[in-house]
Amino acid sequence: EAGVVQSPRYKIIEKKQPVAFWCNPISGHNTLYWYRQNLGQGPELLIRYENEEAVDDSQLPKDRFSAERLKGVDSTLKIQPAELGDSAVYLCASSLRSAGGDEQYFGPGTRLTVT
Amino acid sequence: AQKVTQAQTEISVVEKEDVTLDCVYETRDTTYYLFWYKQPPSGELVFLIRRNSFDEQNEISGRYSWNFQKSTSSFNFTITASQVVDSAVYFCALGAVTGRRALTFGSGTRLQVQP
């Protein structure tokens, strides 16, 4: 079974530029998560989708971040414009359901460096 | 509010030593889940174990064992006879079944196993 796929793995951009990350979850997983992991910290949730609906985006900085999950499968996370403080690893995860106790399977992440 | 504390930032041991990684959590929920994830240098978070709040039985899986004590709100992880391949950052996480249903991660413990 294929795992969670993310691309690109690495991205270096200048501040004020836009950037987008793509995630393909495990087949059949209804719930998709985007986390941000700062250096030396644990991941923090940005947004959670159940199918195509964003059910929790309370921690997503909506002035510059946007996300979508068309057809309830793949998802894209966008930052526009990027700031220096956005440098982090962006992790996508998926789970079968959103019951809180379900195992979340993580992708390899996209390491973003904003210069 | 939920919180996970991993007080050990970094631990260094010599191969074949036993090592225990500490995890203390805070939650007002009566039903919750606890997880351990491993993050090797490749960056992908690998699921290790999940326990629900009603199951305090300790668990052993090969060289890994987990000690869950609700009385002290701790969920510690022990690696017996450590190996170089165990070198990674280990995260403890708390999963809520209500509200945000996201994982709350600790800041991680970096384990270095020297040959």
Side-chain angles (χ1 to χ4, degrees), chain A residues 9 33 35 37 40-43 45 48 50 56 58-59 91 98-108, chain B residues 33 35 37 39 42-47 50 91 95-108:
Chain A
R9 289 295 312 275
Y33 312 77
Y35 288 85
Q37 185 177 18
Q41 299 296 318
L45 182 73
R48 171 168 64 93
E50 290 184 16
D56 184 354
S58 58
Q59 298 304 307
L91 294 163
S98 181
D102 281 2
E103 300 166 27
Q104 293 184 24
Y105 296 85
F106 285 80
Chain B
Y33 289 81
F35 300 79
Y37 282 84
Q39 189 172 43
S42 62
E44 192 165 334
L45 281 158
V46 177
F47 167 82
R50 171 188 60 196
F91 290 95
V97 298
T98 59
R100 301 198 68 207
R101 301 187 200 174
L103 291 179
T104 300
F105 285 85
S107 56

Side-chain angles (χ1 to χ4, degrees), chain B residues 17-33:
Chain B
E17 284 185 23
D18 298 348
V19 58
T20 296
L21 309 182
D22 298 333
C23 172
V24 174
Y25 62 92
E26 296 176 30
T27 180
R28 294 179 182 175
D29 295 341
T30 54
T31 303
Y32 51 89
Y33 289 81

Side-chain angles (χ1 to χ4, degrees), chain A residues 67-104:
Chain A
E68 61 182 8
R69 190 184 184 197
L70 299 176
K71 300 181 181 179
V73 182
D74 295 359
S75 178
T76 303
L77 178 68
K78 298 178 181 177
I79 308 175
Q80 183 171 12
E83 297 179 351
L84 294 177
D86 296 331
S87 294
V89 176
Y90 291 83
L91 294 163
C92 179
S94 69
S95 64
L96 198 57
R97 302 167 303 165
S98 181
D102 281 2
E103 300 166 27
Q104 293 184 24

Side-chain angles (χ1 to χ4, degrees), chain B residues 23-75:
Chain B
C23 172
V24 174
Y25 62 92
E26 296 176 30
T27 180
R28 294 179 182 175
D29 295 341
T30 54
T31 303
Y32 51 89
Y33 289 81
L34 294 164
F35 300 79
W36 276 95
Y37 282 84
K38 174 182 180 180
Q39 189 172 43
S42 62
E44 192 165 334
L45 281 158
V46 177
F47 167 82
L48 295 177
I49 189 173
R50 171 188 60 196
R51 304 297 284 172
N52 73 55
S53 53
F54 297 107
D55 184 0
E56 286 193 71
Q57 275 195 333
N58 293 332
E59 181 156 340
I60 299 174
S61 176
R63 296 184 297 107
Y64 295 170
S65 63
W66 291 269
N67 182 269
F68 176 27
Q69 292 194 342
K70 283 181 78 170
S71 60
T72 56
S73 298
S74 64
F75 186 44

